[in-house]
Amino acid sequence: MAGIYLHIPFCKQACYYCDFHFSTNQSSVDEMVSTMIQELDLRKDYLEGENIETIYFGGGTPSILEGKHIRRLLEKIESQFKISDSPEITLEANPDDLSRSKLAELYNYGINRLSIGIQSFNESHLKYLNRAHTNKEAINCVENAIEIGFDNITIDLIYGIPFENEDPWPNDIATALDLGVDHISAYCLTIEPQTVFGKWLNQNKIKPINEELAASHFNYLLEKLNSNGFEQYEISNFCKSGCYSKHNTSYWQQKRYLGIGPSAHSFNKVSRQFNIANNAKYIKALNSGAIPCEVEILSNTQKVNEMMMTGLRTKWGVSLDEIREVIPGWETKNSSILKDYTQNQYLKLSNNHLIITEKGKLLADEIALNLFLDE
Ligand code: SF4
């Protein structure tokens, strides 16, 4: 099983916290789609004929694309790759792009999973983050999508946002639950150096992230989603009735994927490839027949460290058998720290898998880093 990721590098406006690759100049959308089709042609053998189970339009803002762009990209993928009978085809979308007619168009073109970037249902927070949509648009688009027939919808929320009077976070969660979606991804607000917030932090115009507020929001989220039948299957991802994101789960389980578009990454179990994060240079290189990417061959240590970083965040944990296949004796090298974490109930061993406990969840990344081996 393998996946294809398509990076659509355009956005209407820059959200103040965002450090993804995108351009707000949309004049080259048509040309970009044609270039991504060229890349699909050049890389048709990358996945060595493996069945494609998931296709993911990410970005940037893929909902900026018109139906004709989506159709062209999907037709090219279908013609060049072996697609499974019922692939998961996800499109990330912003509420301000999702009119009823756009939703119907996406549905007709075969998009069967929508990932809607809502982030907050609070007007002041939406303005604070510089999101392009309103609370009303967020609610309407989810309701319309359900009416049109989408039965696999996830929404993104951000917690840890500072507030002045009343904390909007409980209402954000209550609204998400009322909408009846089966999947929620919730991320802590972070301030990255290359963003508007990063610049403002340097100029002391905003305060650093309040870790206590973020932790209390996260705990509130866990409690509410848990009592409403959601399962936390990855630190930031929650779903009902086994509605896991197949595409993201395949990343966490080290499956192969091909990334198309500027800044997209690819992984084939041997190396990672990183496409250039520059729209003009990406187009220029492909026009001359070259794939503008850097290749990093992964050492066994890197492979195991990556398994630890992604696997420990999931409910399935990390398979010790798979780790031993790559590095025999890995447990011996880590024996004292493993003993420490298991005795103190941050980690548990179940069915030969190393799994994070409830107590360990807030520290999952730190625990994984402490289990990293040096090259
Ligand atoms: S958060 Fe999404 S919509 Fe906002 S700038 Fe980043 S990629 Fe674009």
Side-chain angles (χ1 to χ4, degrees):
M1 164 181 159
I4 294 180
Y5 172 83
L6 302 137
H7 190 87
I8 310 301
F10 301 102
C11 291
K12 273 187 194 158
Q13 60 192 49
C15 302
Y16 292 157
Y17 57 90
C18 180
D19 73 342
F20 293 145
H21 169 67
F22 65 89
S23 163
T24 50
N25 176 355
Q26 295 174 38
S27 59
S28 60
V29 173
D30 280 331
E31 196 183 6
M32 180 58 72
V33 170
S34 299
T35 309
M36 289 171 72
I37 284 172
Q38 279 174 260
E39 190 186 1
L40 279 164
D41 260 328
L42 287 173
R43 305 185 77 183
K44 63 180 187 305
D45 298 323
Y46 182 79
L47 297 170
E48 298 174 327
E50 210 169 321
N51 245 16
I52 304 299
E53 299 263 358
T54 63
I55 299 169
Y56 194 102
F57 289 84
T61 311
S63 51
I64 274 178
L65 294 182
E66 292 173 39
K68 65 175 184 187
H69 298 129
I70 290 166
R71 195 189 64 226
R72 285 184 68 202
L73 287 162
L74 286 177
E75 279 176 359
K76 175 53 78 179
I77 291 172
E78 278 160 18
S79 72
Q80 302 286 36
F81 297 87
K82 205 160 78 193
I83 312 290
S84 78
D85 289 342
S86 50
E88 176 189 272
I89 308 181
T90 307
L91 183 123
E92 287 181 354
N94 281 342
D96 41 303
D97 292 326
L98 294 182
S99 61
R100 277 188 78 88
S101 58
K102 182 68 172 266
L103 281 162
E105 195 179 28
L106 295 172
Y107 189 74
N108 289 334
Y109 283 127
I111 303 298
N112 55 28
R113 184 169 184 271
L114 279 181
S115 172
I116 306 178
I118 288 177
Q119 321 309 354
S120 170
F121 290 101
N122 178 274
E123 290 301 345
S124 345
H125 274 184
L126 289 170
K127 285 199 181 80
Y128 178 75
L129 300 171
N130 201 35
R131 296 290 299 173
H133 65 269
T134 62
N135 165 43
K136 201 159 179 279
E137 282 171 324
I139 292 173
N140 283 349
C141 82
V142 177
E143 289 174 345
N144 286 337
I146 293 172
E147 254 180 58
I148 278 166
F150 284 99
D151 57 4
N152 197 349
I153 299 174
T154 178
I155 62 171
D156 283 356
L157 295 175
I158 293 181
Y159 60 89
I161 308 174
F163 58 91
E164 274 177 7
N165 300 314
E166 199 182 335
D167 185 356
W169 185 235
N171 184 57
D172 281 350
I173 298 177
T175 310
L177 291 171
D178 283 348
L179 284 170
V181 293
D182 287 334
H183 192 289
I184 295 174
S185 300
Y187 302 99
C188 184
L189 180 64
T190 53
I191 300 184
E192 306 299 337
Q194 301 305 329
T195 62
V196 174
F197 278 163
K199 205 164 89 192
W200 287 353
L201 184 65
N202 262 342
Q203 297 165 346
N204 290 323
K205 287 186 181 161
I206 55 168
K207 290 189 184 143
I209 298 296
N210 178 337
E211 303 289 345
E212 259 174 53
L213 175 72
S216 87
H217 279 179
F218 187 67
N219 288 330
Y220 184 84
L221 173 83
L222 293 185
E223 185 197 315
K224 285 290 163 193
L225 294 193
N226 190 22
S227 61
N228 280 277
F230 280 79
E231 178 190 15
Q232 186 185 22
Y233 71 102
E234 197 266 353
I235 298 290
S236 306
N237 286 278
F238 304 79
C239 72
K240 273 184 166 173
S241 337
C243 272
Y244 310 125
S245 160
K246 287 190 195 162
H247 187 83
N248 289 338
T249 302
S250 73
Y251 292 154
W252 305 324
Q253 296 182 344
Q254 322 294 316
K255 307 260 165 70
R256 287 185 174 89
Y257 61 90
L258 169 62
I260 298 289
S263 84
H265 297 181
S266 304
F267 172 70
N268 63 1
K269 300 200 181 207
V270 175
S271 66
R272 288 199 180 276
Q273 300 197 354
F274 308 91
N275 280 5
I276 193 165
N278 179 301
N279 290 3
K281 287 183 182 165
Y282 170 82
I283 290 173
K284 193 171 170 211
L286 274 145
N287 279 342
S288 67
I291 301 168
C293 70
E294 281 179 18
V295 180
E296 182 185 20
I297 306 288
L298 297 171
S299 67
N300 286 347
T301 303
Q302 280 173 306
K303 285 179 193 165
V304 166
N305 288 350
E306 286 188 3
M307 284 156 93
M308 211 40 71
M309 185 46 97
T310 51
L312 275 192
R313 292 177 59 93
T314 70
K315 69 165 194 160
W316 302 283
V318 182
S319 158
L320 287 177
D321 284 340
E322 285 175 21
I323 291 215
R324 286 184 204 117
E325 258 177 48
V326 187
I327 299 190
W330 178 86
E331 284 149 286
T332 319
K333 293 182 208 269
N334 265 321
S335 60
S336 86
I337 190 160
L338 278 174
K339 194 168 152 205
D340 227 40
Y341 278 137
T342 41
Q343 276 182 352
N344 290 305
Q345 293 166 9
Y346 289 101
L347 288 176
K348 64 180 178 191
L349 202 57
S350 166
N351 274 336
N352 224 4
H353 280 67
L354 206 52
I355 296 172
I356 202 96
T357 60
E358 280 308 307
K359 185 178 169 189
K361 273 179 181 169
L362 263 179
L363 301 170
D365 291 347
E366 185 185 321
I367 293 172
L369 280 172
N370 287 336
L371 289 167
F372 272 21
L373 294 182
D374 291 330
E375 287 284 3

